Amino acid sequence: MKYGIHTLDDFDVRGKTVLCRVDINQPVNRAAGTLNDTTRIEGCAPTVRELAERGARVVLLAHQGGDLEYKNYYTTLPHSRVLAELIGRPVAHVDDVCGPYARMRIAELRDGEVLLLDNVRFMGEELTLFETRLNLTPAQMAQTQVVSKLAPLADLFVCDAFAAAHRSQPTLCGFAHVLPSAMGRLFEREYTVISDVLAAPGRPCVFVIGGAKIQEAFDVMNTVLKNGSADKVITGGVAANLLLHVSGVHIGKASLDYIYKKNLDYLFDAGKAVLEKFGDKIVLPTDLACVQDGVRKDVPVGALADGEAYIDIGRQTADSYAAMLRAAKTVFINGPMGVFEEEASAYGTRTVWQAAADCTGMSVVGGGDSVTATKAFGLADKMGYLCTGGGALLCFLSGNPMPVIDALKQSAASA
Ligand code: ADP
Ligand code: MG
């Protein structure tokens, strides 16, 4: 037991059928039928290998893309190949989630065999629309098709999907209601590392918040500044553009249009509120960069123009952020400083990431794109910890409820 949740040490899994929920959601190359990144598969491989080596009959459940990320809504077949390579044993795949064929294959598993089911989001019950509209309780989730069909075939539920721990979906929260449950090794490690850093962060502790998926950003800033975990929050990406706008800076029509187009304007109030309360601790860019015909242009925030979208923090800003990070003893990063995928707008992210890697304290990087950037810059070994979750990390840091953690605790308490 750790944090009131069972670990793999608490169960003898030999001969047991174990339903193991992983988060191996990765960017897909549809044309080639392959994956563009395999970080998350590498992350959960030790858990799968351990279960198989200890003689469990391992049934893996995973989602890939979904209604919010339709371009990556895809079969888990390529994942089975990558995983087999990583664990050095066959990983069977069925193009079914919980129908008769999938159930037959589960029933036929022998000790040490591994079977990956197809994308659980092929079941409507697992889509985000379903989650946000219906808001089912774990007891109700236990009655969904996917859980009620699969749970009777299994002896144990293992959740290794820390990156999805902030979600409330049947395969994440429903099984723990009806089966003994445990967290997997990756889940345990991510939970432990983040809790430990957050419990006693070296000072100063600096949060870096950027990126484009910024729904949680201002909540997190508010919480970590209020409870004192962060001494300073430095901002980039769309988060910074939005904060500049609500603080009265003219960010230009193109950048403002982007915020409206992505339906992020509902965050204006939250942004304004957090600046009013903690403005002295939130650092905004003093210049931004746009790219015209492949040429980068750095512009002071007083002189931003309408025509071009600002897609990176400026050089002056990046250099000043880097100095703050080199002096930090704890760094949490979520969200790139700009569109780092293009060289002309990569300066901000590269400079900030390099400084986080150079700082002598602990640097934790979370989020799919943030981790991709870390690897692209060759800094993976120089950061303290790469967390597979972005949204989950932010949710955890902001102290918001984590439905999967709650479900696992509940399950352990009622056993
Ligand atoms: P993570 O996956 O690390 O949580 P996000 O998904 O929130 O990060 O954001 C990553 C994406 O944000 C990247 O693809 C990057 O190109 C984009 N991005 C960063 N800054 C900007 C910006 N100013 N305008 C538009 N897109 C941006
Ligand atoms: Mg992302």
Side-chain angles (χ1 to χ4, degrees), residues 35-48:
L35 304 172
N36 291 332
D37 185 15
T38 56
T39 305
R40 284 177 168 164
I41 308 181
E42 290 156 34
C44 72
T47 297
V48 180

Side-chain angles (χ1 to χ4, degrees), residues 6 9 24 31 45 56 69 85 99 101 117-118 133 153 179 212 218 222 256 296 323 371 386-387 395 411:
H6 288 297
D9 296 328
I24 48 177
E69 241 194 310
E85 191 84 11
Y101 183 63
L117 301 174
D118 216 333
R133 291 292 162 85
L153 301 173
L179 287 172
F218 307 113
N222 195 46
L256 195 55
R296 178 187 177 97
V371 169
L386 302 184
C387 179
C395 192
S411 171

Side-chain angles (χ1 to χ4, degrees), residues 213 367-370:
K213 280 197 293 188
D369 294 294
S370 298

Side-chain angles (χ1 to χ4, degrees), residues 79-146:
H79 309 64
S80 65
R81 298 183 178 137
V82 174
L83 183 61
E85 191 84 11
L86 286 168
I87 64 173
R89 1 175 122 225
V91 175
H93 182 267
V94 286
D95 61 348
D96 186 10
V97 181
C98 62
Y101 183 63
R103 302 205 300 276
M104 186 188 88
R105 292 285 300 271
I106 293 171
E108 285 173 0
L109 281 175
R110 284 174 302 187
D111 297 2
E113 288 185 342
V114 182
L115 171 70
L116 172 60
L117 301 174
D118 216 333
N119 187 350
V120 292
R121 287 196 181 152
F122 289 167
M123 303 291 292
E125 298 166 327
E126 197 76 11
L127 291 172
T128 301
L129 256 177
F130 196 91
E131 172 185 358
T132 50
R133 291 292 162 85
L134 298 183
N135 239 314
L136 301 186
T137 63
Q140 290 170 319
M141 285 189 248
Q143 282 163 32
T144 55
Q145 282 294 309
V146 64

Side-chain angles (χ1 to χ4, degrees), residues 56 74 131 283 377 391 398:
Y74 201 67
E131 172 185 358
V283 189
F377 301 144
S398 67

Side-chain angles (χ1 to χ4, degrees), residues 46-358:
T47 297
V48 180
R49 188 187 302 119
E50 177 179 341
L51 286 170
E53 277 172 2
R54 287 171 56 187
R57 307 168 178 200
V58 188
V59 181
L60 299 173
L61 298 116
H63 72 278
Q64 174 58 53
D67 44 338
L68 294 188
E69 241 194 310
Y70 192 67
K71 71 174 195 301
N72 286 325
Y73 195 41
Y74 201 67
T75 171
T76 56
L77 178 61
H79 309 64
S80 65
R81 298 183 178 137
V82 174
L83 183 61
E85 191 84 11
L86 286 168
I87 64 173
R89 1 175 122 225
V91 175
H93 182 267
V94 286
D95 61 348
D96 186 10
V97 181
C98 62
Y101 183 63
R103 302 205 300 276
M104 186 188 88
R105 292 285 300 271
I106 293 171
E108 285 173 0
L109 281 175
R110 284 174 302 187
D111 297 2
E113 288 185 342
V114 182
L115 171 70
L116 172 60
L117 301 174
D118 216 333
N119 187 350
V120 292
R121 287 196 181 152
F122 289 167
M123 303 291 292
E125 298 166 327
E126 197 76 11
L127 291 172
T128 301
L129 256 177
F130 196 91
E131 172 185 358
T132 50
R133 291 292 162 85
L134 298 183
N135 239 314
L136 301 186
T137 63
Q140 290 170 319
M141 285 189 248
Q143 282 163 32
T144 55
Q145 282 294 309
V146 64
V147 177
S148 64
K149 296 279 189 201
L150 295 183
L153 301 173
D155 303 292
L156 175 67
F157 173 66
V158 170
C159 185
D160 212 23
F162 188 82
H166 59 313
R167 310 307 298 267
S168 177
Q169 294 176 334
T171 62
L172 287 159
C173 302
F175 290 114
H177 192 76
V178 286
L179 287 172
S181 61
M183 55 185 166
R185 297 301 184 197
L186 174 66
F187 197 111
E188 184 182 345
R189 194 174 76 228
E190 308 227 276
Y191 196 163
T192 306
V193 170
I194 297 165
S195 306
D196 288 355
V197 179
L198 199 60
R203 302 289 176 175
C205 172
V206 179
F207 278 59
V208 179
I209 295 189
K213 280 197 293 188
I214 57 167
Q215 285 81 356
E216 318 272 339
F218 307 113
D219 242 17
V220 174
M221 289 182 198
N222 195 46
T223 315
V224 297
L225 287 169
K226 188 155 74 187
N227 71 19
S229 348
D231 298 301
K232 201 184 285 185
V233 175
I234 67 184
T235 64
V238 182
N241 289 3
L242 190 147
L243 288 177
L244 285 170
H245 170 70
V246 300
S247 71
V249 169
H250 178 75
I251 60 169
K253 185 171 181 318
S255 294
L256 195 55
D257 281 351
Y258 180 91
I259 291 171
Y260 280 103
K261 199 180 76 201
K262 296 286 175 183
N263 293 316
L264 296 170
D265 51 302
Y266 79 95
L267 293 167
F268 286 166
D269 287 341
K272 210 178 286 174
V274 80
L275 278 182
E276 266 159 25
K277 248 195 269 172
F278 301 109
D280 54 329
K281 295 188 165 156
I282 299 173
V283 189
L284 301 181
T286 52
D287 59 346
L288 295 177
C290 58
V291 177
Q292 291 167 335
D293 302 324
V295 180
R296 178 187 177 97
K297 204 169 133 200
D298 292 78
V299 185
V301 294
L304 301 173
D306 284 329
E308 296 292 334
Y310 293 96
I311 56 171
D312 193 14
I313 56 172
R315 285 173 189 275
Q316 191 189 63
T317 303
D319 296 343
S320 115
Y321 284 2
M324 293 175 201
L325 289 175
R326 286 205 184 86
K329 285 287 175 293
T330 309
V331 179
F332 279 103
I333 297 187
N334 179 254
M337 298 291 96
V339 180
F340 68 93
E341 295 90 342
E342 306 292 333
E343 188 48 39
S345 45
Y347 184 86
T349 308
R350 182 185 288 113
T351 305
V352 165
W353 262 229
Q354 182 67 54
D358 292 344

